[in-house]
Structure formats: structure tokens, C-alpha cells
Amino acid sequence: MADYGAMILMENGNPFVTPQSTPFCLYRKVVVNSVANGTFHSASAAVNLDASFPAIAFCKTNYTNQPTVVGATRSGNNISVSSGNPYGQAHSLTAYIFAIFPQTLPQWGFAIWDAVGKLVLTNESRVLSDLVTIGTPGNNGGINIDQTLAGSYAVCPGILGSTLLQVMVQGQPQVIAATAYTGCRFNGSTSRISAASSSNASGSVVGNTNNGNVIIAIKTDAYD
């Protein structure tokens, strides 16, 4: 416990203590529609954010018949979010970027500064909270995750494993790996979270690799 500061209880009962805690707050929400390149539909957006600010992104799409890949990368002062569907299915991507960054002083309410004078929390800050773990580590994680949750959720993008396919190339059998990424499809009432591939390659399944990791998700109501 800090010797001084404020202790705030969040709606879920978890304590938030200053100055020991500096929250991730919503920095930007972006929505972008996919564009077609042949049968592949993709969406992308870039968000400028100081490279010194820690950040994390969560993504979702509207519902598509087959899973749609979501992704996020960071390079310098840019965070790129993206989605892709190789099955000819148009969609929209919604991304929520959270960061530890100086807050804007509101016209009224409360404000908390840290020891170096940076404004870290106000009554208008939308703090990242209530993270949900989807799947369990091991066989029930990774590519075997397929869960439907009530409400709108977004996931932290990752790689779950791959499917190994045997295909014929110039009459010779070859094995290729179709990487499994994260997908999160919201149909207006429920969110389906599962593995998703950026490839529609067909062939005989001869195996798979399962990273066995979990997916971290957030319910988006507080940020919409």
C-alpha cells in the first residue's frame, strides 16, 4: 500500500492505488471497412503514438461466415491494426488502442498526477479493465479455442499455431503450414472467438501445431 495517494475501487471491486498504479487508458478507437483484392478482403489503419508510451491493442470484426484474422504491430511511433478474410467476405474492423499516456485535464471532476507531474487519471479516463482469459493453456488453448460469449468483445491479437496441409505442386506432394491467428466476430449480440487463417489454401490435413496459448479479451461496452 502506498504511503500517500488515493485508493479507488473499480466496478469489479479491484482496487486501484495511486501512486503505485498507472493505468492503461483508451487512446484511440478506430473503425475501418475492408477493401477487396481478388477474393481477399482486408482492412488496416495506422495510429500515431509516441514510442515511449506503453500500448496494447484489442480488435474485433463484424460477423463473417468464416473466421477473419485480426492483427496488430508496432514500429516506432506507429501502431498498425489490421484484419483479413481470404474467403471473399467483406467486413469492418474495430480496434481499441490503450496506452499509458498523459491525460487531458477535464473542465470539471477529479485529476491525479504522478510524482513527476504527469496527469495519469481523470474522471474522463476510460481505464483498461476486466480482462477476460479465453481458453486454458495446453490442449484447450491455441488452435482449439472456439468460444462464443454474450455481448461485444475484442481480442489481443496473437498466433495460436498452424494447420499442416499436403498439396500437390507440379505433380509432387508438398506440406505447407497455414498459420492460425486470432479472430473475434461480433454479430450484434454475441462474439465468437476462435483461430483464424489468412490463407484459404486447400489440401489434405496431415497435422497441426498448437501453441497452447490463451487469448486475452475485453468486453467493449465501456469503450464504444
Coordinates of all heavy atoms in Angstrom, one line a residue, residues 126-220:
R126 N -10.9 6.4 -19.6 CA -11.5 5.1 -19.8 C -10.4 4.1 -19.6 O -9.7 3.8 -20.6 CB -12.2 5.0 -21.1 CG -13.5 5.9 -21.2 CD -14.4 5.6 -22.3 NE -13.9 6.3 -23.5 CZ -14.5 6.2 -24.7 NH1 -15.6 5.4 -24.9 NH2 -14.1 6.9 -25.8
V127 N -10.4 3.5 -18.4 CA -9.3 2.7 -18.0 C -9.5 1.3 -18.5 O -10.6 0.7 -18.5 CB -9.2 2.7 -16.5 CG1 -8.1 1.7 -16.0 CG2 -8.9 4.1 -16.0
L128 N -8.4 0.6 -19.0 CA -8.5 -0.8 -19.4 C -8.7 -1.6 -18.1 O -7.9 -1.6 -17.2 CB -7.1 -1.1 -20.1 CG -7.0 -2.6 -20.4 CD1 -8.0 -3.1 -21.4 CD2 -5.5 -2.8 -21.0
S129 N -9.7 -2.4 -18.2 CA -10.1 -3.2 -17.0 C -10.8 -4.5 -17.4 O -11.2 -4.6 -18.6 CB -10.9 -2.4 -16.0 OG -12.1 -2.1 -16.5
D130 N -11.1 -5.4 -16.5 CA -11.9 -6.6 -16.7 C -11.4 -7.4 -17.9 O -12.2 -7.8 -18.8 CB -13.4 -6.2 -16.9 CG -14.0 -5.5 -15.6 OD1 -13.4 -5.8 -14.6 OD2 -14.9 -4.8 -15.8
L131 N -10.1 -7.7 -17.9 CA -9.6 -8.6 -19.0 C -10.1 -10.0 -18.7 O -10.2 -10.5 -17.6 CB -8.1 -8.6 -19.0 CG -7.4 -7.4 -19.7 CD1 -7.6 -6.1 -19.0 CD2 -5.9 -7.7 -19.9
V132 N -10.5 -10.6 -19.8 CA -11.0 -12.0 -19.8 C -10.1 -13.0 -20.5 O -9.5 -12.6 -21.5 CB -12.4 -12.0 -20.5 CG1 -13.0 -13.4 -20.5 CG2 -13.4 -11.1 -19.8
T133 N -9.8 -14.1 -19.9 CA -9.0 -15.1 -20.5 C -9.8 -16.1 -21.2 O -10.8 -16.7 -20.6 CB -8.1 -15.8 -19.4 OG1 -7.3 -14.9 -18.7 CG2 -7.3 -16.9 -20.0
I134 N -9.6 -16.4 -22.5 CA -10.3 -17.3 -23.3 C -9.4 -18.5 -23.5 O -8.3 -18.4 -24.0 CB -10.7 -16.7 -24.6 CG1 -11.4 -15.3 -24.4 CG2 -11.6 -17.6 -25.4 CD1 -12.7 -15.4 -23.7
G135 N -9.9 -19.7 -23.2 CA -9.2 -20.9 -23.3 C -8.3 -21.2 -22.1 O -8.3 -20.3 -21.1
T136 N -7.7 -22.3 -22.0 CA -6.7 -22.6 -20.9 C -5.4 -23.1 -21.6 O -5.4 -23.7 -22.7 CB -7.3 -23.7 -20.0 OG1 -7.6 -24.9 -20.8 CG2 -8.5 -23.2 -19.3
P137 N -4.3 -22.8 -20.9 CA -3.0 -23.2 -21.5 C -3.0 -24.7 -21.8 O -3.5 -25.5 -21.0 CB -2.0 -22.8 -20.5 CG -2.7 -21.7 -19.7 CD -4.1 -22.1 -19.7
G138 N -2.4 -25.1 -22.9 CA -2.3 -26.5 -23.2 C -3.2 -26.9 -24.4 O -3.5 -26.1 -25.3
N139 N -3.7 -28.1 -24.3 CA -4.5 -28.7 -25.4 C -5.8 -27.9 -25.6 O -6.4 -27.9 -26.7 CB -4.9 -30.1 -25.1 CG -3.7 -31.1 -25.2 OD1 -2.7 -30.7 -25.9 ND2 -3.7 -32.2 -24.5
N140 N -6.3 -27.3 -24.5 CA -7.6 -26.5 -24.7 C -7.3 -25.0 -25.1 O -8.3 -24.2 -25.1 CB -8.4 -26.6 -23.4 CG -8.9 -27.9 -23.1 OD1 -9.3 -28.7 -24.1 ND2 -9.0 -28.4 -21.9
G141 N -6.1 -24.7 -25.4 CA -5.8 -23.4 -25.8 C -5.4 -23.4 -27.3 O -5.6 -24.4 -28.0
G142 N -4.8 -22.3 -27.7 CA -4.3 -22.2 -29.1 C -5.3 -22.4 -30.1 O -6.4 -21.9 -30.1
I143 N -5.0 -23.3 -31.1 CA -5.9 -23.5 -32.2 C -7.2 -24.2 -31.9 O -8.2 -24.2 -32.7 CB -5.2 -24.4 -33.3 CG1 -4.8 -25.8 -32.8 CG2 -4.0 -23.6 -33.9 CD1 -4.3 -26.7 -33.9
N144 N -7.3 -24.7 -30.6 CA -8.5 -25.4 -30.2 C -9.5 -24.5 -29.6 O -10.6 -24.9 -29.1 CB -8.2 -26.6 -29.3 CG -7.5 -27.7 -30.0 OD1 -7.8 -28.0 -31.1 ND2 -6.5 -28.3 -29.3
I145 N -9.2 -23.2 -29.4 CA -10.1 -22.2 -28.8 C -11.3 -22.0 -29.8 O -11.0 -21.6 -31.0 CB -9.4 -20.9 -28.5 CG1 -8.4 -21.2 -27.3 CG2 -10.4 -19.8 -28.1 CD1 -7.6 -20.0 -27.0
D146 N -12.5 -22.1 -29.4 CA -13.6 -21.7 -30.1 C -14.8 -21.4 -29.1 O -15.5 -22.3 -28.7 CB -14.0 -22.7 -31.1 CG -15.1 -22.3 -32.1 OD1 -15.7 -21.2 -31.9 OD2 -15.4 -23.0 -33.1
Q147 N -14.9 -20.2 -28.7 CA -15.9 -19.8 -27.7 C -16.8 -18.7 -28.1 O -16.3 -17.8 -28.8 CB -15.2 -19.4 -26.3 CG -14.5 -20.6 -25.6 CD -14.0 -20.2 -24.2 OE1 -14.6 -19.3 -23.6 NE2 -13.0 -20.9 -23.7
T148 N -18.0 -18.8 -27.7 CA -19.0 -17.7 -28.0 C -19.4 -17.1 -26.7 O -19.9 -17.8 -25.8 CB -20.2 -18.2 -28.8 OG1 -19.8 -18.8 -30.0 CG2 -21.2 -17.1 -29.1
L149 N -19.3 -15.7 -26.6 CA -19.6 -15.0 -25.4 C -20.7 -14.0 -25.7 O -20.8 -13.4 -26.8 CB -18.4 -14.2 -24.9 CG -17.2 -15.0 -24.6 CD1 -16.0 -14.1 -24.2 CD2 -17.4 -16.1 -23.5
A150 N -21.6 -13.8 -24.7 CA -22.7 -12.9 -24.9 C -22.1 -11.4 -24.8 O -21.3 -11.1 -24.0 CB -23.7 -13.0 -23.8
G151 N -22.5 -10.6 -25.8 CA -22.0 -9.2 -25.8 C -20.9 -9.0 -26.8 O -20.5 -9.9 -27.5
S152 N -20.4 -7.8 -26.8 CA -19.3 -7.4 -27.7 C -18.0 -7.5 -27.1 O -17.7 -6.9 -26.0 CB -19.6 -6.0 -28.2 OG -18.5 -5.5 -29.0
Y153 N -17.1 -8.3 -27.6 CA -15.7 -8.5 -27.1 C -14.7 -8.1 -28.2 O -15.0 -8.2 -29.4 CB -15.5 -9.9 -26.6 CG -16.1 -10.2 -25.3 CD1 -17.5 -10.4 -25.2 CD2 -15.4 -10.1 -24.1 CE1 -18.1 -10.7 -24.0 CE2 -16.0 -10.4 -22.9 CZ -17.3 -10.7 -22.8 OH -17.9 -10.9 -21.6
A154 N -13.5 -7.8 -27.8 CA -12.4 -7.6 -28.7 C -11.2 -8.4 -28.1 O -11.1 -8.5 -26.9 CB -12.0 -6.1 -28.9
V155 N -10.3 -8.8 -29.0 CA -9.2 -9.7 -28.5 C -7.8 -9.0 -28.8 O -7.7 -8.2 -29.7 CB -9.2 -11.1 -29.2 CG1 -10.5 -11.8 -28.8 CG2 -9.1 -10.9 -30.7
C156 N -6.9 -9.4 -28.0 CA -5.5 -9.0 -28.2 C -4.9 -10.0 -29.2 O -4.9 -11.2 -29.0 CB -4.7 -9.1 -26.9 SG -3.0 -8.5 -27.0
P157 N -4.5 -9.5 -30.4 CA -4.1 -10.4 -31.5 C -2.9 -11.2 -31.1 O -2.0 -10.8 -30.3 CB -3.8 -9.5 -32.6 CG -4.6 -8.2 -32.3 CD -4.5 -8.1 -30.8
G158 N -2.8 -12.4 -31.7 CA -1.7 -13.3 -31.4 C -1.7 -14.4 -32.4 O -2.5 -14.5 -33.3
I159 N -0.7 -15.3 -32.3 CA -0.6 -16.5 -33.1 C -0.8 -17.8 -32.3 O -0.2 -17.9 -31.2 CB 0.8 -16.6 -33.8 CG1 1.1 -15.4 -34.7 CG2 1.0 -17.9 -34.6 CD1 2.5 -15.3 -35.3
L160 N -1.8 -18.6 -32.8 CA -2.2 -19.7 -32.0 C -1.6 -21.1 -32.4 O -1.7 -22.0 -31.7 CB -3.8 -19.8 -32.1 CG -4.5 -18.6 -31.7 CD1 -6.0 -18.8 -31.8 CD2 -4.2 -18.2 -30.3
G161 N -1.0 -21.1 -33.6 CA -0.5 -22.4 -34.1 C -0.6 -22.4 -35.6 O -0.5 -21.4 -36.3
S162 N -0.7 -23.6 -36.2 CA -0.9 -23.7 -37.6 C -1.5 -25.1 -38.0 O -1.4 -26.0 -37.2 CB 0.5 -23.6 -38.3 OG 1.4 -24.6 -37.9
T163 N -2.0 -25.2 -39.2 CA -2.5 -26.4 -39.7 C -1.6 -26.8 -40.9 O -1.2 -26.0 -41.7 CB -3.9 -26.3 -40.3 OG1 -4.8 -25.9 -39.2 CG2 -4.4 -27.6 -40.9
L164 N -1.2 -28.1 -40.9 CA -0.3 -28.6 -41.9 C -1.1 -29.3 -43.0 O -1.9 -30.2 -42.8 CB 0.7 -29.6 -41.3 CG 1.6 -29.1 -40.2 CD1 2.5 -30.2 -39.6 CD2 2.4 -27.8 -40.6
L165 N -0.9 -28.8 -44.3 CA -1.7 -29.2 -45.4 C -0.8 -29.8 -46.4 O 0.3 -29.3 -46.7 CB -2.5 -28.1 -46.0 CG -3.5 -27.4 -45.2 CD1 -4.0 -26.1 -45.9 CD2 -4.7 -28.3 -44.8
Q166 N -1.2 -31.0 -47.0 CA -0.4 -31.6 -48.1 C -1.1 -31.1 -49.4 O -2.3 -31.4 -49.6 CB -0.4 -33.1 -48.0 CG 0.4 -33.7 -49.1 CD 0.5 -35.2 -49.0 OE1 1.2 -35.7 -48.1 NE2 -0.2 -36.0 -49.8
V167 N -0.3 -30.5 -50.3 CA -0.8 -30.0 -51.5 C 0.1 -30.6 -52.6 O 1.2 -31.0 -52.4 CB -0.9 -28.5 -51.6 CG1 -1.8 -27.9 -50.5 CG2 0.6 -27.9 -51.4
M168 N -0.4 -30.6 -53.9 CA 0.4 -31.0 -55.0 C 0.9 -29.8 -55.7 O 0.2 -28.9 -56.1 CB -0.5 -31.9 -55.9 CG -1.1 -33.1 -55.3 SD 0.1 -34.3 -54.6 CE 0.8 -34.8 -56.2
V169 N 2.2 -29.8 -55.9 CA 2.9 -28.8 -56.7 C 3.7 -29.4 -57.8 O 4.6 -30.2 -57.6 CB 3.9 -28.0 -55.7 CG1 4.6 -26.9 -56.5 CG2 3.1 -27.3 -54.6
Q170 N 3.3 -29.2 -59.0 CA 3.9 -29.7 -60.2 C 3.9 -31.3 -60.1 O 4.9 -31.9 -60.4 CB 5.3 -29.2 -60.5 CG 5.3 -27.7 -60.8 CD 6.6 -27.1 -61.0 OE1 7.6 -27.8 -60.7 NE2 6.7 -25.9 -61.6
G171 N 2.8 -31.8 -59.6 CA 2.7 -33.3 -59.5 C 3.4 -33.9 -58.3 O 3.3 -35.1 -58.1
Q172 N 4.0 -33.1 -57.5 CA 4.7 -33.6 -56.3 C 4.0 -33.1 -55.0 O 3.6 -32.0 -54.9 CB 6.2 -33.1 -56.3 CG 7.0 -33.6 -57.5 CD 7.1 -35.1 -57.6 OE1 7.3 -35.8 -56.6 NE2 6.9 -35.7 -58.8
P173 N 3.9 -34.0 -54.0 CA 3.2 -33.6 -52.8 C 4.2 -32.8 -52.0 O 5.4 -33.1 -51.8 CB 3.0 -35.0 -52.1 CG 4.0 -35.9 -52.6 CD 4.2 -35.5 -54.1
Q174 N 3.6 -31.7 -51.4 CA 4.4 -30.8 -50.5 C 3.5 -30.5 -49.3 O 2.3 -30.4 -49.5 CB 4.9 -29.5 -51.2 CG 5.9 -29.7 -52.3 CD 6.5 -28.4 -52.8 OE1 6.2 -27.4 -52.2 NE2 7.3 -28.5 -53.8
V175 N 4.1 -30.3 -48.2 CA 3.4 -29.9 -47.0 C 3.6 -28.4 -46.7 O 4.8 -27.9 -46.7 CB 3.9 -30.7 -45.8 CG1 3.2 -30.2 -44.5 CG2 3.5 -32.2 -46.0
I176 N 2.5 -27.7 -46.6 CA 2.6 -26.3 -46.3 C 1.9 -26.0 -44.9 O 1.1 -26.8 -44.5 CB 2.0 -25.4 -47.3 CG1 0.4 -25.7 -47.4 CG2 2.6 -25.5 -48.7 CD1 -0.3 -24.7 -48.3
A177 N 2.3 -24.9 -44.2 CA 1.7 -24.6 -42.9 C 0.8 -23.4 -43.1 O 1.3 -22.3 -43.6 CB 2.8 -24.3 -41.9
A178 N -0.4 -23.5 -42.7 CA -1.3 -22.3 -42.7 C -1.4 -21.8 -41.3 O -1.9 -22.5 -40.4 CB -2.7 -22.8 -43.2
T179 N -0.8 -20.6 -41.0 CA -0.7 -20.1 -39.7 C -2.1 -19.7 -39.2 O -3.0 -19.2 -39.9 CB 0.1 -18.8 -39.7 OG1 1.4 -19.2 -40.2 CG2 0.3 -18.3 -38.3
A180 N -2.4 -20.1 -37.9 CA -3.6 -19.7 -37.2 C -3.4 -18.5 -36.3 O -2.6 -18.5 -35.4 CB -4.1 -20.9 -36.4
Y181 N -4.2 -17.5 -36.6 CA -4.1 -16.2 -35.9 C -5.4 -16.2 -35.0 O -6.2 -17.1 -35.0 CB -4.0 -15.0 -36.8 CG -2.8 -15.0 -37.7 CD1 -2.9 -15.6 -39.0 CD2 -1.6 -14.5 -37.3 CE1 -1.8 -15.6 -39.8 CE2 -0.5 -14.5 -38.1 CZ -0.6 -15.0 -39.4 OH 0.5 -15.0 -40.2
T182 N -5.6 -15.0 -34.3 CA -6.8 -14.9 -33.6 C -7.9 -14.2 -34.4 O -7.6 -13.4 -35.3 CB -6.5 -13.9 -32.3 OG1 -5.8 -12.8 -32.8 CG2 -5.8 -14.7 -31.3
G183 N -9.1 -14.6 -34.1 CA -10.3 -14.0 -34.7 C -11.4 -13.7 -33.7 O -11.5 -14.4 -32.7
C184 N -12.1 -12.6 -33.9 CA -13.2 -12.3 -33.0 C -14.3 -11.6 -33.8 O -14.1 -10.5 -34.3 CB -12.7 -11.3 -31.9 SG -13.9 -10.8 -30.7
R185 N -15.4 -12.3 -33.9 CA -16.5 -11.9 -34.8 C -17.8 -11.6 -34.0 O -18.3 -12.4 -33.2 CB -16.9 -13.0 -35.8 CG -15.7 -13.3 -36.7 CD -16.1 -14.6 -37.6 NE -15.9 -15.8 -36.8 CZ -16.4 -17.0 -37.2 NH1 -17.1 -17.1 -38.3 NH2 -16.2 -18.1 -36.4
F186 N -18.2 -10.3 -34.1 CA -19.4 -9.9 -33.3 C -20.6 -9.8 -34.2 O -20.5 -9.1 -35.3 CB -19.1 -8.5 -32.7 CG -20.2 -7.9 -31.9 CD1 -20.9 -8.6 -30.9 CD2 -20.7 -6.7 -32.2 CE1 -21.9 -8.1 -30.2 CE2 -21.8 -6.1 -31.5 CZ -22.4 -6.8 -30.5
N187 N -21.7 -10.5 -33.9 CA -22.9 -10.5 -34.8 C -24.0 -9.6 -34.3 O -25.1 -9.6 -34.9 CB -23.4 -11.9 -34.9 CG -24.0 -12.4 -33.6 OD1 -24.0 -11.7 -32.6 ND2 -24.4 -13.7 -33.6
G188 N -23.7 -8.7 -33.4 CA -24.7 -7.8 -32.8 C -25.2 -8.2 -31.5 O -25.7 -7.3 -30.7
S189 N -25.0 -9.4 -31.1 CA -25.4 -9.9 -29.8 C -24.4 -10.8 -29.1 O -24.3 -10.8 -27.9 CB -26.8 -10.6 -29.8 OG -26.7 -11.7 -30.7
T190 N -23.6 -11.6 -29.9 CA -22.6 -12.4 -29.3 C -21.3 -12.3 -30.1 O -21.3 -11.9 -31.2 CB -23.1 -13.9 -29.3 OG1 -23.2 -14.3 -30.7 CG2 -24.3 -14.1 -28.6
S191 N -20.2 -12.7 -29.4 CA -18.9 -12.6 -30.0 C -18.3 -14.0 -30.1 O -18.3 -14.7 -29.1 CB -17.9 -11.7 -29.2 OG -18.4 -10.4 -29.2
R192 N -17.9 -14.5 -31.3 CA -17.3 -15.8 -31.4 C -15.8 -15.6 -31.5 O -15.3 -14.9 -32.5 CB -17.8 -16.5 -32.6 CG -17.3 -18.0 -32.7 CD -18.0 -18.7 -33.8 NE -17.5 -20.1 -33.9 CZ -18.0 -21.0 -34.7 NH1 -19.0 -20.7 -35.6 NH2 -17.5 -22.2 -34.8
I193 N -15.0 -16.2 -30.6 CA -13.6 -16.0 -30.6 C -12.9 -17.4 -30.9 O -13.2 -18.4 -30.2 CB -13.1 -15.5 -29.2 CG1 -13.8 -14.2 -28.9 CG2 -11.6 -15.5 -29.0 CD1 -13.6 -13.7 -27.4
S194 N -12.1 -17.4 -31.9 CA -11.5 -18.6 -32.4 C -10.3 -18.4 -33.2 O -9.9 -17.2 -33.4 CB -12.5 -19.4 -33.2 OG -12.8 -18.7 -34.4
A195 N -9.6 -19.5 -33.6 CA -8.5 -19.3 -34.5 C -9.0 -18.9 -35.9 O -10.2 -19.1 -36.3 CB -7.8 -20.7 -34.6
A196 N -8.1 -18.2 -36.6 CA -8.5 -17.7 -38.0 C -7.2 -17.8 -38.9 O -6.1 -17.6 -38.4 CB -9.0 -16.3 -37.9
S197 N -7.4 -18.1 -40.1 CA -6.3 -18.2 -41.1 C -6.4 -17.1 -42.1 O -7.5 -16.7 -42.6 CB -6.3 -19.6 -41.7 OG -5.3 -19.6 -42.7
S198 N -5.3 -16.6 -42.5 CA -5.2 -15.6 -43.6 C -5.1 -16.3 -45.0 O -5.0 -15.6 -46.0 CB -4.0 -14.6 -43.4 OG -2.8 -15.4 -43.4
S199 N -5.1 -17.6 -45.0 CA -5.0 -18.4 -46.2 C -6.2 -19.3 -46.4 O -6.7 -19.9 -45.5 CB -3.7 -19.2 -46.2 OG -3.7 -20.1 -47.3
N200 N -6.7 -19.4 -47.7 CA -7.8 -20.3 -48.0 C -7.2 -21.5 -48.7 O -7.9 -22.2 -49.5 CB -8.9 -19.7 -48.7 CG -8.4 -19.2 -50.1 OD1 -7.2 -19.2 -50.4 ND2 -9.3 -18.6 -50.9
A201 N -5.9 -21.8 -48.5 CA -5.3 -23.0 -49.2 C -6.1 -24.3 -48.8 O -6.5 -24.5 -47.7 CB -3.9 -23.1 -48.7
S202 N -6.2 -25.1 -49.8 CA -6.9 -26.4 -49.6 C -6.0 -27.5 -49.8 O -5.0 -27.4 -50.5 CB -8.1 -26.5 -50.6 OG -7.7 -26.5 -51.9
G203 N -6.2 -28.6 -49.2 CA -5.4 -29.8 -49.3 C -5.7 -30.8 -48.2 O -6.7 -30.6 -47.4
S204 N -5.0 -31.9 -48.1 CA -5.2 -32.9 -47.1 C -4.5 -32.5 -45.8 O -3.3 -32.2 -45.8 CB -4.7 -34.2 -47.5 OG -5.3 -34.6 -48.7
V205 N -5.3 -32.4 -44.7 CA -4.7 -32.1 -43.4 C -3.9 -33.2 -42.9 O -4.3 -34.4 -42.8 CB -5.8 -31.7 -42.4 CG1 -5.2 -31.4 -41.0 CG2 -6.6 -30.5 -42.8
V206 N -2.6 -33.0 -42.7 CA -1.7 -34.0 -42.3 C -1.1 -33.8 -40.9 O -0.3 -34.6 -40.4 CB -0.5 -34.2 -43.3 CG1 -1.0 -34.6 -44.6 CG2 0.3 -32.9 -43.4
G207 N -1.6 -32.7 -40.2 CA -1.1 -32.4 -38.9 C -1.4 -31.0 -38.5 O -2.0 -30.2 -39.3
N208 N -0.9 -30.6 -37.3 CA -1.0 -29.3 -36.9 C 0.0 -29.0 -35.8 O 0.6 -29.9 -35.2 CB -2.5 -28.9 -36.4 CG -2.9 -29.8 -35.2 OD1 -2.2 -29.8 -34.1 ND2 -3.9 -30.6 -35.4
T209 N 0.2 -27.7 -35.5 CA 1.0 -27.3 -34.4 C 0.1 -26.4 -33.5 O -0.7 -25.6 -34.0 CB 2.2 -26.5 -34.8 OG1 1.8 -25.3 -35.5 CG2 3.1 -27.3 -35.7
N210 N 0.1 -26.6 -32.2 CA -0.7 -25.9 -31.3 C 0.2 -25.2 -30.3 O 0.8 -25.9 -29.5 CB -1.7 -26.8 -30.6 CG -2.7 -26.1 -29.7 OD1 -2.8 -24.9 -29.8 ND2 -3.5 -26.8 -29.0
N211 N 0.1 -23.9 -30.3 CA 0.9 -23.1 -29.4 C 0.4 -23.3 -27.9 O 1.1 -23.0 -27.0 CB 1.0 -21.6 -29.8 CG 1.8 -21.4 -31.0 OD1 2.5 -22.3 -31.5 ND2 1.7 -20.2 -31.6
G212 N -0.9 -23.7 -27.8 CA -1.4 -23.9 -26.5 C -1.6 -22.6 -25.6 O -1.8 -22.7 -24.4
N213 N -1.6 -21.5 -26.3 CA -1.7 -20.2 -25.5 C -3.2 -19.8 -25.4 O -4.1 -20.4 -26.0 CB -0.9 -19.1 -26.2 CG -1.2 -19.0 -27.7 OD1 -1.5 -20.0 -28.4 ND2 -1.0 -17.8 -28.2
V214 N -3.4 -18.9 -24.5 CA -4.8 -18.4 -24.3 C -4.9 -17.1 -25.1 O -3.9 -16.5 -25.6 CB -5.1 -18.1 -22.8 CG1 -5.0 -19.4 -22.0 CG2 -4.1 -17.0 -22.2
I215 N -6.2 -16.6 -25.2 CA -6.5 -15.3 -25.8 C -7.0 -14.4 -24.7 O -7.8 -14.8 -23.9 CB -7.5 -15.5 -26.9 CG1 -7.0 -16.4 -28.0 CG2 -7.9 -14.1 -27.5 CD1 -8.1 -16.7 -29.1
I216 N -6.5 -13.2 -24.7 CA -6.9 -12.2 -23.8 C -7.9 -11.3 -24.5 O -7.7 -10.8 -25.6 CB -5.8 -11.3 -23.2 CG1 -4.7 -12.3 -22.6 CG2 -6.3 -10.3 -22.2 CD1 -5.3 -13.1 -21.4
A217 N -9.1 -11.1 -23.8 CA -10.1 -10.3 -24.5 C -10.7 -9.3 -23.5 O -10.5 -9.4 -22.3 CB -11.3 -11.2 -24.9
I218 N -11.4 -8.3 -24.0 CA -12.1 -7.3 -23.2 C -13.5 -7.2 -23.7 O -13.8 -7.3 -24.9 CB -11.4 -5.9 -23.2 CG1 -11.3 -5.4 -24.7 CG2 -10.1 -5.9 -22.6 CD1 -10.9 -3.9 -24.8
K219 N -14.4 -6.9 -22.8 CA -15.8 -6.5 -23.2 C -15.7 -5.0 -23.6 O -15.2 -4.2 -22.9 CB -16.8 -6.8 -22.1 CG -18.2 -6.8 -22.6 CD -19.2 -7.4 -21.5 CE -20.6 -7.5 -22.1 NZ -21.5 -8.1 -21.1
T220 N -16.3 -4.7 -24.7 CA -16.1 -3.4 -25.3 C -17.1 -2.3 -24.9 O -17.0 -1.1 -25.3 CB -16.0 -3.4 -26.8 OG1 -17.3 -3.8 -27.3 CG2 -15.0 -4.5 -27.3

